[in-house]
Amino acid sequence: MIYAKLKFRKLEAKLNNFSTPFLETLQLCKIKDVIIAAVLFCVAFPILASLSTKALINGDAAVYLQQMKNLNFSARAVHLGYYLLGAGFVRLFPGSDDYVINLMNCLLGALSVTFLYLITLIICRRHIVALFSSLLLLTHCLFLENSVYAEVYTPQTCFLLLAVLWWLLDRPIIAGLSFALAFLITPSTIFALPFFLILRPRFRPFSL
């Protein structure tokens, strides 16, 4: 009994250590900024989902989907992170697998818009600039094309932006994990690594 209590206390301490960075970040953020970011996501996702289709539009996506369904990642391991994400989505969400994979890109595209808003807000300290940058991304034709259909580039962008966001929030370990996932999705992510040396952590409360 005493051993079980000690194990439980150790687990509780580990969970507290894991959650502390997230809680500290939320405490420093203004509720207004969180609400704006949430509204951006709630606007972006329906827009992208409405532009999506229930069918895949290219042969590569069909091959990727087959590997996700069979859990066979050995044939084309270059996009391993994408396969793992897709394998989870097609098993967790109802509907045709083609449509679910397309919606996965829509979801990650909407998150990309949200992350870019927060990144720009941290760097520039101006809501109007942050809003403009996120809306510019949302309306860019290349971003739209890769966000409404199953492609690897929007998931890569999403986790790369998440890595930048955590880096600016001075959370290097979580940033590294996000960057690693972006790299697993597409190895070309490695070319963004030098920018992390330029973008030094600069988190402060979002007050203007």
Side-chain angles (χ1 to χ4, degrees):
M1 189 68 179
I2 295 176
Y3 177 75
K5 287 183 178 179
L6 289 174
K7 293 293 287 184
F8 179 78
R9 287 179 181 175
K10 286 183 179 179
L11 177 61
E12 185 179 16
K14 289 181 180 179
L15 290 174
N16 287 335
N17 290 335
F18 177 78
S19 62
T20 296
F22 298 94
L23 296 176
E24 288 177 351
T25 299
L26 288 176
Q27 289 172 356
L28 289 170
C29 294
K30 273 191 170 182
I31 188 64
K32 177 178 67 173
D33 305 309
V34 177
I35 291 175
I36 293 175
V39 168
L40 272 174
F41 174 81
C42 292
V43 169
F45 179 66
I47 291 175
L48 296 175
S50 67
L51 297 173
S52 185
T53 65
K54 294 186 177 181
L56 302 177
I57 64 166
N58 62 65
D60 285 345
V63 174
Y64 298 157
L65 179 58
Q66 193 61 42
Q67 291 182 259
M68 295 169 189
K69 292 164 67 175
N70 299 336
L71 296 178
N72 177 21
F73 307 139
S74 59
R76 294 189 178 186
V78 67
H79 300 304
L80 179 60
Y82 185 65
Y83 302 149
L84 294 174
L85 282 175
F89 266 78
V90 298
R91 284 161 175 78
L92 289 175
F93 295 95
S96 69
D97 292 339
D98 293 8
Y99 189 46
V100 168
I101 291 301
N102 285 340
L103 283 183
M104 179 184 78
N105 265 42
C106 296
L107 175 66
L108 296 175
L111 286 174
S112 299
V113 172
T114 306
F115 294 155
L116 183 61
Y117 166 78
L118 293 172
I119 290 169
T120 311
L121 183 60
I122 292 172
I123 294 175
C124 297
R125 319 289 296 166
R126 293 292 181 269
H127 287 93
I128 188 64
V129 176
L131 279 172
F132 179 78
S133 65
S134 59
L135 293 177
L136 187 64
L137 177 65
L138 178 61
T139 55
H140 194 281
C141 60
L142 189 60
F143 176 78
L144 284 173
E145 181 181 349
N146 285 281
S147 295
V148 299
Y149 302 118
E151 273 291 354
V152 300
Y153 303 111
T154 293
Q156 175 198 24
T157 300
C158 178
F159 286 99
L160 178 58
L161 288 174
L162 181 60
V164 172
L165 178 59
W166 282 119
W167 180 256
L168 291 174
L169 294 174
D170 200 13
R171 303 290 184 238
I173 295 177
I174 308 175
L177 293 174
S178 301
F179 186 88
L181 183 51
F183 176 79
L184 286 176
I185 293 172
T186 303
S188 61
T189 305
I190 197 67
F191 293 113
L193 192 57
F195 290 98
F196 285 83
L197 302 177
I198 301 172
L199 293 173
R200 296 182 178 179
R202 60 178 73 191
F203 182 74
R204 297 187 299 274
F206 285 171
S207 57
L208 297 178

